[in-house]
């Protein structure tokens, strides 16, 4: 997690997303990040948290934890987010949940893959995302006013959004939206090079493989490939694994169990490393 | 939340809803607010709570909390509403839930999106919404008579009311109903101008965009656009974001994941900011 | 709730239901009340509780609480009805649930909308509704004999009784049954007049509107309109709201979200208040 | 519940069920009672418990509670049957559940409508119904040998036994079976006379009505009518209610919500009380 | 339960199952017993536990409890099997569950009808059934090595194994398998004679009836009849019940609710006891 | 479980999986093992844990527990993995769950059959499998940085991966993948010989039987046979059981309940041991 003194997490902007996020933060507009898996949404929000909370002009004061990330899932309860009493050694103490902590002390609270959360969680954030900016905590019989430097950010991947797991319009229409996609060939090659440590030519080859795999979407392979797996392939290569074997482990077998899809990916790899 | 001494929350009436609400409050008739997302139901009830509890002629006495808002969801239990014993440092105290608190001390209790609540919650309010005006609290073995200035208000959006999430007639026929819709073009432009701070011409342009987006309903985009998102677009523009980019973030991408719907919205935007 | 010393709750009999209830109480036969929503079942049982427990000839002694009403729902557990241990300040006390309290101290226990209850609740009442008249309380390891003046009354609305929510014959065949319907035109006008305070002519007009709305049943509007909503319309009129607007709020919009049904109801209203 | 000193509960045998039950008890064979609702299974087991535990030749010693009846339902847990620790005033005591209590102290344990119980309950009784006659109590880390005078009896109504709620053969084939049906006309008239107090002619008329209602089974009314409801009709008549009105309350309306079925029952009643 | 000093539980071998079980125990191979209900699987494992733990050559030392039987069902949790902390009188003690107890102290742990268990239970036994022979106990933060004389045995009836309740191959392929069927005519007659006390001719007649009932399988009666029910019929006969009546109670009515199946069984009985 | 001082668990490599795993560990890339049941995935990870944590060049320091294996199932909660407070004798202590323990102290944490786990478990590992390498522990209000020698390994069997139990791409694309299959004939014969103790000829015969059984896949028997069951058959043979009977117990009956499949397997066995 970005701590105020550390170097900014590496992030290569794709468009005007940095400027839009700064404008949103300036007015404390809640932000929704949309895009495919592994395209850099988590990195982006880490980068922005670092930038904003290291810039005295943007915030009231530095906060202890500029970013709190919560991976949502169907068993996440409102208690998990808000807090609970814990009974330790004959005394009971209230422990703020991660959302309450961010609301109270400021910083960005990032709910990753919000559509996976239970409905009580999504409803919980309503009062934080309109003019009220409050969080009711029933168990403390309190209504908490949000810290002036609190901002709520959520994300999801429209690629697997099913009918059953959709944001209700009454939730959705509380957020401005930044839409992400995979980086361009050049940018992705650069990311692979920096993160895996291989040379630029190999990095570009891997980025091209990634591009071709994503084009399989038209042939029924919807998921695409994340930049992360391309970095894994590069990492194995730098560790001395033969490129074809690295690609098998990090791409062909990692991406699918379906033999036809595996063959299609292998065909792409065979072109560059026969 | 409206506190008795603050200024009245901004609300621009659409019709006779203020007069009807006052008549309902006068006779303590429970009220149902129906209408699409983001059309101003929450604002309206905040406004009315402020007006009523700041007018000595309407109530018996000022109350500490004129309005308690509860966003309903499918995991909201009757215990959440009524209260529970909490064990803190070897002593156990009863903590009133938000509904009990309003019933005991007076004020409006507003159950937002009631159809999302579990059945035990909707049944709970039956005895508060007929001539009995009582709330049984089994865990205290008490029957609480409602404060003379208590009023129950509920809301829902008939647009997403499914067969499974419908108010039973035995619940529904306990409320008089105020039916809301989006504000007129002029009123909405005025709201956008006041809340985002942009100039009247830009506000009117955004209101017109909103009108056109709502007309997409005939083309399969049911949700419409809330006034809130139009205000967000205005806010980004006032922050210096180019209108077309502000519209992309606050409208085109925020409203839908469907490429065709996004294109249809973008087409509307292109007309005014090509 | 009727307390022994207060005036009898207002109730206008529809047929021989008062006499049949008295005969049932005399022999402590459990009673089932069937009928549509808002036709007066709750009022009737309040009225009978008042009459019976204010007449020394009918009961052994006055009881503290002549009537206990429990609105059933799918999360009502047997623990809710029977009671639980509560831990308060290092001591634990048994708290009778509302059913146990009535079984122990006498009075009518009224389970409203019994078909909404969970199966453990409906099975629970078996031993109270045959010759045994006992309530086993496992957590106290006790079997409680019912107070001689205890009577169990249940109700449901056959109109929404689904296959899934049906009384099992082994439960159902433990009750004699009083079948209710809406009051006649004259009776309903009288009720509207008394409860809303408007003049007899207006009350009769509202009762006629109710009759016509109920006839819509043949056109697919099954629920009818409760007397309560007609009283609400009258109440708004007495508060000075124009009749057409009162009817919109209390009838047209309150009864349905379906535009066609709303139009059909509006057409009925237009005839009397064009 | 039958206590050893009281008079035997009234029961009129239908066939050889008394002798078979005595033979089963003599060898401690578990017994299954099958038959329609309200045909007298509960009475029979109360009667047999009284007879057996009042006859020194049949048991080792009188027991405190000759019969423990448990109405099964889908929320009955094994904990409910076996027992639990209860924490009362800083001390915790083990409380035997009703099944454990009968296993420990002797007597008949009667699980009514066993097919409604959860699977953990039906599995629980396996070790009590073969040569082992033991009840493992995990929370006490004990295996309890059954009292020599313990017997397990279960019942169900094959009429509503669905595919989902069927006894597994591995459970079922642990019980000998007594199959019940409604009593003959003469026997039922006698039962109605004794229990309601009306004269023999009226009782016979009611028994005939019952016979005709049960014949409606061929016309789609599967449930038949219990002897209990016929007794209710007789009871209301003895209280002075006109026979036709008594039949409406105790039979026509009590048996069905379906207008056609109600009419068919009313037609039967009209023949005898036009 | 077999205790080391008692006589061996009666068991008549059907084939080489005793030798195979001894070979399996010798190498501590986990064993699966498959076969229809009531064919003697439980008896067999009791018999083998007695034999093995009374033979000093086969085990390291006698154990306190040679056999622990657990009837599986869908609510059996891993906590039930492994153990829990219990709070008794201000002190909390860890109580081994029955599986942990067997793993710790040695002996056979027999999970009857394993396919009824929840998935967490079946997964739990994985580490006990391969070369690891360990049981992780998370709540104690321990990994328990199995006692050298611990063996896991499971059973199920392939007759009702549904798609939903099937052992996963990853569980199944951890056990060698002994497949059981009903005993031969001669063997079953001998079992009936010994257990019910009737004479050999009657016992043979009952065994023949059993054989014919099992042949009904081809006519849609899948369950067959357990040896246990045939013993029940013999027991009733020895108590003086007429054979035809004993067969009705223990076979015809006990085996099925279906009138056609009951008639088919009655036809078989009529041949021998007309 | 491999302890640092013991001999390396027996494992015969099938290809380059050892080298790839070492490369992955070197860069701490999370690893997914895919393959059919009983093909040696668990052995492989035990072997690798032993090798890595016994080689000072590969790790920072020896760890107490080089490998923690967790069999996933649908009731495994995040609490089970992360830890809980336990109340023992009036004091409450935090007990690390097995995942937290590995994250804190180093070593490989192996989540076997990850697709069986609940969603909250799979989401839990996200922050451990990207550049963050952190584990948030809400109940301690801590974020735990992973030990430098911590590595996460998961496995599943694509053979039974259903639509409902699939890894989401956002989880899946966090792991490089090693794809396993059954060993070759020669290798499997060698494994059977070493583990069961039979002679090489018999071991080869059993390996051939295994190969033929796996070829039945084309005839609808999907599961194949694990090496483990072939070892069981060898073990029984070494215990003196006749080969044909050993094959019945360890293969024919153990692999399937379907008579046709059993016959097909028996046919294969008959060829070698007629």
């Amino acid at each position: 997690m970005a701590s105020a003194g550390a170097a900014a997490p590496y992030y290569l902007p794709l468009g005007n997303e940095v400027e839009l996020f700064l404008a949103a933060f300036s007015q404390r507009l809640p932000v929704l990040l949309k895009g495919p898996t592994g395209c850099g949404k988590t990195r982006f929000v880490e980068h922005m948290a670092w930038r904003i909370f290291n810039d005295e002009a943007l915030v009231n004061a530095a906060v202890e934890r500029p970013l709190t990330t919560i991976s949502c899932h169907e068993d996440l309860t409102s208690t998990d987010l808000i807090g609970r009493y814990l009974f330790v050694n004959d005394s009971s103490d209230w422990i703020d949940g991660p959302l309450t902590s961010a609301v109270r002390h400021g910083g960005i609270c990032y709910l990753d893959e919000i559509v996976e959360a239970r409905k009580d969680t999504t409803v919980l954030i309503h009062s934080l995302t309109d003019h009220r900016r409050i969080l009711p905590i029933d168990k403390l019989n309190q209504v908490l006013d949000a810290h002036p430097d609190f901002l709520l950010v959520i994300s999801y991947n429209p690629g697997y959004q099913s009918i059953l797991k959709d944001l209700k319009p009454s939730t959705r229409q509380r957020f401005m939206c930044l839409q992400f996609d995979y980086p361009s060939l050049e940018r992705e090659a650069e990311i692979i090079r920096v993160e895996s440590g291989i040379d630029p030519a190999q990095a570009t080859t891997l980025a091209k493989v990634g591009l071709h795999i994503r084009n399989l979407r038209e042939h029924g392979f919807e998921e695409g490939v994340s930049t992360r797996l391309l970095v894994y392939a590069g990492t194995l290569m730098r560790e001395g694994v033969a490129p074809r074997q690295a690609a098998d482990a990090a791409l062909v077998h990692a991406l699918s169990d379906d033999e036809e899809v595996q063959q299609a990916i292998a065909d792409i790899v065979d072109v560059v490393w026969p």
Side-chain angles (χ1 to χ4, degrees), chain A:
Chain A
M1 180 173 315
S3 113
Y10 176 71
Y11 180 76
L12 210 60
L14 306 173
N16 63 345
E17 71 268 27
V18 170
E19 290 70 32
L20 278 165
F21 194 97
L22 290 173
F25 184 82
S26 159
Q27 293 298 315
R28 306 300 187 261
L29 298 188
V31 179
L32 159 64
L33 311 179
K34 273 202 302 192
T37 196
C39 71
K41 299 188 296 291
T42 300
R43 286 271 172 133
F44 171 68
V45 75
E46 290 196 355
H47 179 80
M48 293 310 301
W50 190 92
R51 273 180 74 150
I52 287 170
F53 285 92
N54 276 298
D55 185 339
E56 289 177 14
L58 299 180
V59 293
N60 294 277
V63 302
E64 195 186 342
R65 193 183 276 191
L67 175 65
T68 300
T69 298
I70 300 160
S71 298
C72 297
H73 54 80
E74 61 195 21
D75 300 307
L76 190 78
T77 64
S78 56
T79 294
D80 294 332
L81 287 176
I82 289 191
R84 49 169 61 83
Y85 277 103
L86 268 179
F87 299 83
V88 184
N89 295 324
D90 252 349
S91 134
S92 74
D93 299 305
W94 172 263
I95 306 285
D96 276 351
L99 176 63
T100 302
S101 188
V103 169
R104 197 187 296 277
H105 304 296
I108 292 170
C109 185
Y110 175 44
L111 296 172
D112 193 16
E113 300 201 44
I114 183 81
V115 291
E116 302 292 330
R118 304 202 316 176
K119 296 300 183 214
D120 60 335
T121 307
T122 47
V123 157
L124 197 70
I125 60 182
H126 280 198
S127 62
L128 281 168
T129 50
D130 56 25
H131 63 286
R132 293 176 287 170
R133 284 181 61 92
I134 55 171
L135 180 68
I137 307 180
D138 289 348
K139 283 180 188 157
L140 295 177
N141 206 13
Q142 288 181 358
V143 175
L144 191 63
D145 286 306
H147 186 279
D149 290 336
F150 169 78
L151 186 75
L152 194 69
V153 178
I154 65 175
S155 77
Y156 73 89
N157 178 349
Y160 19 103
Q161 189 187 1
S162 70
I163 284 291
L164 283 170
K165 289 187 170 175
D166 205 353
L167 279 187
K168 293 189 302 179
S170 65
T171 301
R172 180 176 190 135
Q173 300 203 2
R174 292 166 176 280
F175 294 86
M176 63 157 282
C177 173
L178 297 179
Q179 192 162 303
F180 285 73
D181 208 340
Y182 294 114
S184 68
L185 182 67
E186 291 71 26
R187 280 192 160 82
E188 191 154 38
E190 171 69 3
I191 296 170
I192 295 168
R193 187 191 63 76
V194 169
E195 300 213 358
S196 72
I198 54 173
D199 66 54
Q202 283 175 309
T204 300
T205 304
L206 275 169
K208 280 181 184 160
V209 167
L211 198 63
H212 287 297
I213 291 174
R214 287 172 195 144
N215 286 339
L216 290 175
R217 203 175 300 188
E218 292 152 23
H219 299 87
F221 180 61
E222 291 288 338
E223 292 96 286
V225 58
S226 66
T227 305
R228 183 182 295 120
L229 282 183
L230 298 170
V231 170
Y232 280 9
T235 303
L236 289 174
M237 288 161 66
R238 209 202 44 192
E239 281 293 304
V241 176
R244 191 59 180 81
Q245 290 186 7
D248 273 356
L251 303 176
V252 178
H253 297 148
L255 280 168
S256 177
D257 304 327
D258 184 295
E259 285 188 26
E260 285 187 40
V261 173
Q262 289 189 343
Q263 190 53 54
I265 299 170
D267 289 347
I268 291 169
V269 172
D270 283 341
V271 171
V272 295
W273 297 296

